[in-house]
Amino acid sequence: MRSVKTDKLFKVNLKGTYGTGCGVKYHRSYVVAKTMDGAYKKVRDYLDGADIGFSSDRELDSIELVAEDYEYTDVRTRLFQ
C-alpha cells in the first residue's frame, strides 16, 4: 500500500465480541481512517471505553482495506465521502 494519507475504508475483524445485549456484532467493524493502525485503534478504544467483551475478544484478527478516497487506488474501489 502506498503512503498517500487519504481516507480509507477498512474492515476490522476481531477475535471475539460477536454480539452484545444490544445485538451489535463488533467482531466485524467498518472504519474510515488514514492507516490500518488508526482503524484498529478507533475500534479498540471504543470497545475498551465501553468495556464491551473480554480483553482477548478485542484483539485484532485481521484487517482489510476495502476502499480509498483516491482516484487511482490500488484496491480498485473508490470511497466517496
Side-chain angles (χ1 to χ4, degrees), residues 10-56:
F10 295 98
K11 181 169 75 170
V12 178
N13 297 302
L14 304 178
K15 292 186 177 181
T17 62
Y18 290 95
T20 64
C22 64
V24 176
K25 298 177 180 178
Y26 291 104
H27 73 286
R28 184 179 7 200
S29 298
Y30 291 87
V31 182
V32 174
K34 295 195 183 305
T35 65
M36 287 184 174
D37 290 340
Y40 174 59
K41 184 175 179 349
K42 281 185 178 184
V43 174
R44 182 67 192 241
D45 287 351
Y46 176 81
L47 296 176
D48 286 346
D51 196 29
I52 296 173
F54 295 107
S55 182
S56 60

